[in-house]
Amino acid sequence: MAVPPGGALFELMSGDECIQTLPTLTDVDKPPCLSMLDDSKWRSWHAELSEVVAQYWNMAIPIAVPIFGFLVVVAVAVLQFAEVVTPPIWLLPALIVPFVLISFLLHCIIVGKNEELDEQIRELCAKLSSSTEGAVKVEYRTRWTGLCKPKRARTERDIAFVPLTAVSVPGAVSAVSVPNTVMLTVTVPQLEPGVNQIQIQTPSGTQIVSIPPGLSPGQTFTVQQHAILVPVVQAQVVEAKVVQVDDDAKVSNQV
């Protein structure tokens, strides 16, 4: 389950697992595409998500029941072979039936309970999406979570963070096409004192831009460029230059 560039994916249950048990939430850090979201809101949302994930039922329980039933049948067969007990012939096959029925019943219950928790996570994702004011869509993606699924199919549960607009990421440039021009939103990176120019990589190549006076690292400013028909683009600041104002010469040093 892929996400577009700039997005992020939290994998709760992978389809590559041979024996699937419980979803797990190992990702803690806030994705870069949610930079507009306050850290306290992220922590609160993540805590709610962790609480829901911890309530999932173990999918391996129904598998363990028939295995236990098989061991019981083997034990009875060994006792019969040793002439310790002499059960009727029909008893051994009959012992397997209750364990199979119990396994199927447990499977139905666990699937139903886990699907209820899936709905809770979908509600949490919708809540987080609304907090971004349309900048990022948070999707809960599931596959093969019901009672029936194809042979060898594996259950998958992922949370995808999909940027819907240009998102400002520290040290990156986002470009949005408008008629005849492209407005580049540049985030000021950490620079040495006195540096007031940076070199950025844009869709049309490298460009040196001046940082407006008074801006601090993390703040943004815009520059204008001839339009290029490309979708949202991101590029890293590759070079920063310090420019000393002098009537006769300009001295530049690379950072």
Side-chain angles (χ1 to χ4, degrees):
M1 298 185 184
V3 293
L9 187 70
F10 283 10
E11 192 174 63
L12 304 184
M13 179 171 282
S14 172
D16 297 330
E17 298 174 356
C18 181
I19 299 178
Q20 296 186 308
T21 55
L22 292 165
T24 55
L25 179 61
T26 57
D27 299 281
V28 177
D29 297 334
K30 181 175 67 174
C33 59
L34 292 178
S35 58
M36 80 297 294
L37 189 69
D38 186 72
D39 288 342
S40 61
K41 290 184 178 180
W42 167 257
R43 288 191 294 267
S44 175
W45 182 85
H46 192 276
E48 292 183 58
L49 177 63
S50 299
E51 184 178 348
V52 175
V53 172
Q55 298 177 40
Y56 273 88
W57 288 42
N58 196 317
M59 295 174 59
I61 293 177
I63 301 175
V65 173
I67 294 176
F68 177 75
F70 174 76
L71 294 176
V72 171
V73 171
V74 171
V76 173
V78 171
L79 293 175
Q80 183 181 11
F81 179 78
E83 297 182 353
V84 176
V85 295
T86 55
I89 299 177
W90 55 265
L91 181 60
L92 293 181
L95 283 175
I96 300 177
V97 175
F99 290 101
V100 172
L101 293 177
I102 293 173
S103 175
F104 179 74
L105 179 61
L106 283 175
H107 178 65
C108 294
I109 294 174
I110 291 174
V111 167
K113 293 294 184 181
N114 287 350
E115 285 187 333
E116 291 177 4
L117 295 172
D118 287 339
E119 288 303 317
Q120 293 184 35
I121 294 182
R122 287 191 180 90
E123 292 175 2
L124 285 174
C125 291
K127 175 182 175 182
L128 186 62
S129 294
S130 62
S131 299
T132 66
E133 299 180 353
V136 178
K137 183 178 181 181
V138 184
E139 301 175 340
Y140 183 49
R141 302 175 178 178
T142 60
R143 182 180 296 175
W144 310 124
T145 58
L147 287 173
C148 301
K149 54 186 176 182
K151 185 179 180 180
R152 297 183 180 179
R154 294 290 182 267
T155 299
E156 295 183 38
R157 289 182 168 95
D158 299 318
I159 299 178
F161 302 86
V162 182
L164 300 180
T165 60
V167 179
S168 177
V169 179
V173 179
S174 57
V176 180
S177 295
V178 296
N180 301 323
T181 60
V182 173
M183 299 302 296
L184 302 176
T185 301
V186 182
T187 303
V188 180
Q190 292 287 345
L191 300 171
E192 291 187 0
V195 173
N196 60 4
Q197 284 192 337
I198 55 176
Q199 181 172 316
I200 61 174
Q201 185 70 36
T202 70
S204 61
T206 59
Q207 179 179 346
I208 296 177
V209 295
S210 298
I211 302 174
L215 293 185
S216 302
Q219 295 182 307
T220 61
F221 62 98
T222 58
V223 295
Q224 184 173 321
Q225 191 185 49
H226 293 298
I228 298 176
L229 297 179
V230 294
V232 173
V233 194
Q234 290 190 341
Q236 297 294 326
V237 175
V238 297
E239 186 180 17
K241 292 185 177 181
V242 56
V243 177
Q244 183 177 2
V245 178
D246 196 314
D247 292 337
D248 299 325
K250 292 183 179 180
V251 180
S252 300
N253 297 317
Q254 291 187 346
V255 177

